[in-house]
Amino acid sequence: MVKLEEVEDEAFVQEKNANDEDDWDTDSDDSSVLSSTSDDPQSNLEHETIFDRITALKDAVPPRQRARINRAASSTRDWSWWGVSGLAKGAWLFGVSVMLLGIPFTVALNEEQQFAEEERRQTLQRDSNDVGLFDILFRLF
């Protein structure tokens, strides 16, 4: 069986005892407390993010105008999605059509050209043989 024993760190115990004093005396004029809660615009700008600034602009635009802007942006997004989706479907259809129809057609056309070339070569060979026989007969007579 395992026995657990708590070991306290001396530095932690001393720090804990030092924090027991009342540091938040309201009667003191501590300048660090006053400076952290001041409404100094420069210090607020240092800690302000872009998101804070954009959300602050929300109050500058009236609700009706915000609704119109939201509808226009939503409509633009929807039409853009529809267009991109249509282009993707068209590209897919074109690619599949080329693979299913274009490649077999190209192979068949290549075979037809080879067949026509072979036929033309045989015709030329036969014509050259006929010319040779005609020349032989012509020389004999």
Side-chain angles (χ1 to χ4, degrees):
M1 180 172 193
V2 177
K3 183 179 179 183
L4 296 176
E5 181 179 333
E6 183 179 356
V7 178
E8 291 187 16
D9 188 10
E10 291 177 15
F12 179 71
V13 172
Q14 290 173 359
E15 198 175 294
K16 186 177 179 183
N17 290 336
N19 288 338
D20 286 344
E21 297 175 9
D22 190 15
D23 288 339
W24 296 100
D25 190 11
T26 57
D27 294 333
S28 69
D29 290 29
D30 191 10
S31 63
S32 64
V33 173
L34 291 176
S35 66
S36 66
T37 59
S38 69
D39 291 331
D40 184 20
Q42 186 63 27
S43 67
N44 288 342
L45 289 178
E46 292 173 359
H47 301 293
E48 191 174 38
T49 63
I50 298 283
F51 180 74
D52 293 336
R53 290 183 180 199
I54 291 173
T55 54
L57 289 175
K58 177 180 166 185
D59 297 331
V61 179
R64 281 188 173 177
Q65 188 68 26
R66 280 193 309 234
R68 281 189 214 135
I69 291 170
N70 188 17
R71 279 193 303 264
S74 178
S75 176
T76 302
R77 183 196 66 222
D78 292 342
W79 279 104
S80 299
W81 179 254
W82 178 80
V84 168
S85 175
L87 284 174
K89 288 177 184 177
W92 183 83
L93 181 65
F94 177 75
V96 169
S97 298
V98 165
M99 286 191 297
L100 292 177
L101 299 174
I103 294 173
F105 177 75
T106 304
V107 169
L109 186 63
N110 191 18
E111 289 176 357
E112 182 67 30
Q113 286 177 348
Q114 288 176 350
F115 181 73
E117 181 66 27
E118 182 68 27
E119 193 174 82
R120 187 177 62 84
R121 190 172 46 217
Q122 287 177 355
T123 304
L124 285 175
Q125 187 178 6
R126 188 179 60 226
D127 288 346
S128 68
N129 287 340
D130 289 345
V131 169
L133 184 60
F134 180 73
D135 287 339
I136 292 173
L137 290 176
F138 185 71
R139 288 182 189 164
L140 289 175
F141 297 111

